[in-house]
Amino acid sequence: MAATSPASSPTLPHAGAFLAADVGGTHVRIGRVRAGADARHPVDVLDYRKYRCADYPSLAAIVGDFLRDNPGVQDCVIASAGYPLADGTVITNNLPWVLSPRAIREELGLAQVYLVNDFEAVAHAAAYVDASEVVQLTGPAQAPRGPTLVLGPGTGLGAAVWIPNDGFPVVLATEAGQAALASNTELEMQLVREMLRHRSHVPVEHAISGPGLLNLYNALCAVRGVPALHATPDAITAAAQAGGDPLAHQALDVFCGLLGSVVGDMALLYGVQGGIYLAGGILPKIRQFLIDSSFVQRFLDKGSMREALERIPVKLVDHGQLGVVGAASWYLGQKAKAA
């Protein structure tokens, strides 16, 4: 169906192999993985595929499809946004079906199915991102070891903080995307007021995400009193980057400016010193637009805290398997703690 996978060799048994899945609102990325021998690359990805959520009735159906070509795996770790309930199900705004690790384990006959917050998983992987896979947006090349923020807009907005300590690092999973959106410019205030006509609370991810970009564009069209020409975030970004569509360009520019402000706020709120990694599905697609936008200016525009923010490296991560590697890294860390 909608699975995509690079060419791979026939499946062979691998000792210690397990499944790691990164579950987003639009796609599920899943890999058969094992512990790597190199400390700089602690996870080996043996097989990797991407599925469209809308093409499957459940996450179990996706995992089951992957398992048909990868039999013999007993454990699975799932990285997903959402809030886990006592019965094992997960509250999430962005998935087309209920997420229940217990139901997946029982339906597929797996030994264990673990759940970790999606950006908590990405935070576990951030330390292993090669220099060739990042673009420096601002700040020094290196920073002292300290709290590190990982954040990214996709179907929603995810964020987590990686905190070093003497033993295993601690990762603080957040629901930062549900915090209230703060506006700085007169235009942003107009757009927030327009969005408040339809809801009582405008969270950050209602503007800074794929659907959020569409919300900004529609609000901008309403404020300007003109009909909307685009119906998807991809259409807006394409039009903005192609030129000739001032409203699409302005909507994406507002998106980048708000992102800069939000990232700066989070850096101060969480005491970030070790760096900021921007991930998610949108930003790599608009890399040059983001570089040319007001993102850095807005990130640094925090009054007397500007000097502190200038010391923090901000990097754009372009790594399609980051969520899978992060989920696997979390799983291996839990096993190591239990040993």
Side-chain angles (χ1 to χ4, degrees):
M1 295 176 68
T4 61
S5 172
S8 59
S9 58
T11 302
L12 297 173
H14 289 276
F18 58 98
L19 298 186
D22 175 28
V23 179
T26 305
H27 293 102
V28 171
R29 295 167 175 86
I30 185 167
R32 181 167 55 93
V33 298
R34 66 177 176 185
D38 181 355
R40 289 176 54 84
H41 300 88
V43 175
D44 286 339
V45 180
L46 307 171
D47 189 10
Y48 172 79
R49 301 180 192 180
K50 184 169 77 171
Y51 296 82
R52 271 201 345 135
C53 295
D55 291 339
Y56 293 83
S58 66
L59 180 57
I62 292 175
V63 176
D65 181 84
F66 187 84
L67 281 171
R68 277 193 284 275
D69 294 324
N70 292 274
V73 178
Q74 294 299 307
D75 285 3
C76 176
V77 54
I78 297 166
S80 175
Y83 184 82
L85 301 177
D87 65 358
T89 58
V90 178
I91 297 176
T92 177
N93 295 328
N94 300 318
L95 290 176
W97 14 253
V98 173
L99 175 56
S100 172
R102 182 173 62 186
I104 294 169
R105 176 177 57 80
E106 293 174 352
E107 181 174 339
L108 300 178
L110 294 168
Q112 297 289 342
V113 176
Y114 302 89
L115 180 70
V116 59
N117 175 272
D118 58 343
F119 268 81
E120 181 179 356
V122 171
H124 279 281
Y128 310 115
V129 177
D130 294 332
S132 62
E133 296 170 326
V134 301
V135 175
Q136 184 99 16
L137 298 177
T138 186
Q142 301 294 330
R145 185 175 170 84
T148 299
L149 173 66
V150 179
L151 176 144
T155 306
L157 180 82
V161 183
W162 182 89
I163 305 170
N165 62 20
D166 293 335
F168 295 98
V170 175
V171 174
L172 175 65
T174 81
E175 285 295 338
Q178 302 306 315
L181 178 69
S183 54
N184 283 34
T185 70
E186 179 58 36
L187 176 59
E188 290 170 3
M189 293 177 190
Q190 292 177 6
L191 298 181
V192 170
R193 282 195 292 269
E194 175 63 27
M195 289 188 282
L196 280 170
R197 293 179 56 213
H198 308 287
R199 56 192 298 135
S200 61
H201 168 62
V202 178
V204 168
E205 72 171 25
H206 195 67
I208 305 176
S209 64
L213 175 59
L214 183 59
N215 293 334
L216 288 174
Y217 173 74
N218 286 333
L220 182 62
C221 290
V223 167
R224 297 286 190 248
V226 298
L229 300 178
H230 308 297
T232 66
D234 285 345
I236 297 167
T237 57
Q241 295 179 99
D245 190 326
L247 282 179
H249 188 282
Q250 191 169 30
L252 191 57
D253 191 57
V254 170
F255 175 94
C256 293
L258 285 170
L259 177 64
S261 286
V262 166
V263 173
D265 287 344
M266 291 186 188
L268 298 175
L269 285 168
Y270 297 124
V272 173
Q273 297 174 335
I276 298 169
Y277 289 93
L278 303 179
I282 298 173
L283 301 185
K285 298 177 183 177
I286 62 166
R287 180 175 69 176
Q288 192 57 50
F289 194 103
L290 181 68
I291 292 170
D292 295 336
S293 75
S294 62
F295 169 84
V296 172
Q297 173 192 338
R298 294 285 296 272
F299 169 74
L300 296 173
D301 188 18
K302 301 297 178 186
S304 61
M305 290 293 100
R306 180 186 182 96
E307 183 178 352
L309 292 174
E310 287 175 337
R311 300 174 183 173
I312 303 174
V314 182
K315 302 177 181 182
L316 173 61
V317 181
D318 189 0
H319 190 322
Q321 298 183 15
L322 197 62
V324 168
V325 171
S329 298
W330 176 88
Y331 170 90
L332 293 170
Q334 297 301 306
K335 289 293 186 182
K337 289 178 186 179

